[in-house]
Amino acid sequence: MLYLSIYILLSLGAVTMVIPFVIMIAGSVESSSQFVDSVAFPRYTTDRTALWRRFLEAKYQGNPSLLRMAWGDSGANYLEEELPPHALEETATWEAFTKEVSFREPLQSIGFIRNGNRLPSYYGREFRLHLLKQYDGDLGRLNQSLQTRFSVPSAITVPIVNINGASVRQTPLVEAFYSFAATVPASRKFAWDAGGYYRAVFLPRLLGPDVSAYNQKYGTSHASYREVPFPTVQPEEGSDLWFLFVSRELRPDFVELTEAGRQRQRETGLGKMEFINLKAQEGDLRVSSLDCIFAQWAEDRMGISRARIPQRALDWAEFEAESGFWKRQFLVQNYLAVFDEVFAQGRALMNTLILVTLVVCGTLIVNPLAAYALSRFKMRKTYHILIFCLATIAFPAEVTMIPVFLQMKELHLLNTFGALVIPGLANGFSIFLLKGFFDSLPQELYEAAEIDGASEWTMFWHIAMNLSRPILAVKALAAFVGAYGMFFYALILAPDPEMWTIMVYIYQLRQLADSPVVYASLILTAIPTLLVFVFCQNIILRGIVVPSEK
């Protein structure tokens, strides 16, 4: 009964260790908004509603305003959207329009990107790979051609483009982005819908979420903001708000000047954007966004008045057709971001491999040699030497950081593997532990070897080291973990990015990424340590058991 209780307690202890790891794995495939609600598995793998929400979040950049603009719904929120309970608006008119009318790429936006930042996104990564392939991976030639200053490949991001704010400068990078956007399927894009933004974002922000303030101001009886008109030219209803929105909020790229407006601009001598923002008057402006072009076409060709882009139905059709693809993409997205940031650029992988090899080999040579000397040769000061070795345990590594840095600087070893390896080669506790193990070996072995004419090196290598493989395996694992997990020392002693190890890149990634990406990075970097333990566990366990038996 006692043993059963002990096994139950140990099993419970194991569960408390496994559960956080499982939650971390689940969190590593979530988005930043869903991260706080992550459980032992990502909900979107089994729940279509959760997958639908994740799809909308990814397509609209995690920005509720973009979703509300595209759907023309001021209450839309990807965190709360349910699966459509009924048939959505028809898309035949929009499909006929897209087949007949060709329009400029800047009138639309690619979905599944992150404007101007390095957070994980499907088409953000595709755009980066597209540019690198176009320039054969030569970042210098890419920067020169596109007039950019990307320091590393993972820093390549899509240009910042919004429906509001200043005009988009037609830089080589923007032109390259629009050229790439032309290759993206139409189902994965959404229109810059000026009318949708006006109704679902601008008016609720200005007048409040209820349309009653608008009705009271203009004497109308609209049931919601969706019924508020947004014509191409300045209307009678809501004229002042329309003009305020078009002249101050809407991006000038979606605004054209009427004949009167062009005449007045010539008189002022101002550029288009300055004129729109500062000197435009009633009757000077007209909107040329895609929703207005579509509404005019639908009225002229189909006799349909006030037609709207059926973006909600288009999104649902894309989701229905490609939900499996996006589920798989969401599962690997954060891991791909870590791979691009850490493993696919610089020399992080090679630097880490070299550092770990040097540290493990150095540890398995220097410490056993010192311990063997103390064990074999009975010096009078052996006790004092051991006390000195053990005293080093009392001082944390941070205490020696500044002296080590100054010493490496004087030796001109900064930004070299020597600075990372030499300070930690000799370890007081390792010498003490190995000395005790060597003391436990039968002296008859050494005496027999001496009779056979073996040298001291032969006895050290073939007797002491050969019989100490279990304890050496434990020390090798400790050296591997220490070298592999080193980031602060590595950053201080080798600040040159060409010398950065994986852990330094992970530390830098934490400053840029959100929690799910950090979780993914920690899981990926834990794999080598896990593999070492799995394949060497028998030797490691012997190294733990054998010294206690001695």
Side-chain angles (χ1 to χ4, degrees), residues 268-303:
T268 60
L270 296 175
K272 177 185 174 182
M273 187 170 69
E274 290 79 6
F275 175 77
I276 291 173
N277 290 337
L278 301 175
K279 295 295 184 179
Q281 299 177 12
E282 293 186 3
D284 289 348
L285 309 177
R286 60 182 291 116
V287 180
S288 57
S289 60
L290 187 56
D291 58 301
C292 290
I293 297 173
F294 171 63
Q296 188 65 50
W297 179 89
E299 186 170 0
D300 294 342
R301 294 295 305 273
M302 304 289 189

Side-chain angles (χ1 to χ4, degrees), residues 164-166 202 242-252 255 276-280 285:
N164 55 351
F202 180 76
W242 185 96
F243 184 77
L244 176 66
F245 171 73
V246 174
S247 63
R248 298 297 177 86
E249 181 82 6
L250 188 62
R251 200 172 84 209
V255 182
I276 291 173
N277 290 337
L278 301 175
K279 295 295 184 179
L285 309 177

Side-chain angles (χ1 to χ4, degrees), residues 351-360 417 420-421 483 486 501:
N351 289 342
T352 303
L353 181 61
I354 294 173
L355 176 62
V356 167
T357 302
L358 291 175
V359 169
V360 171
F417 287 108
L420 301 176
V421 175
M486 181 194 305
T501 61

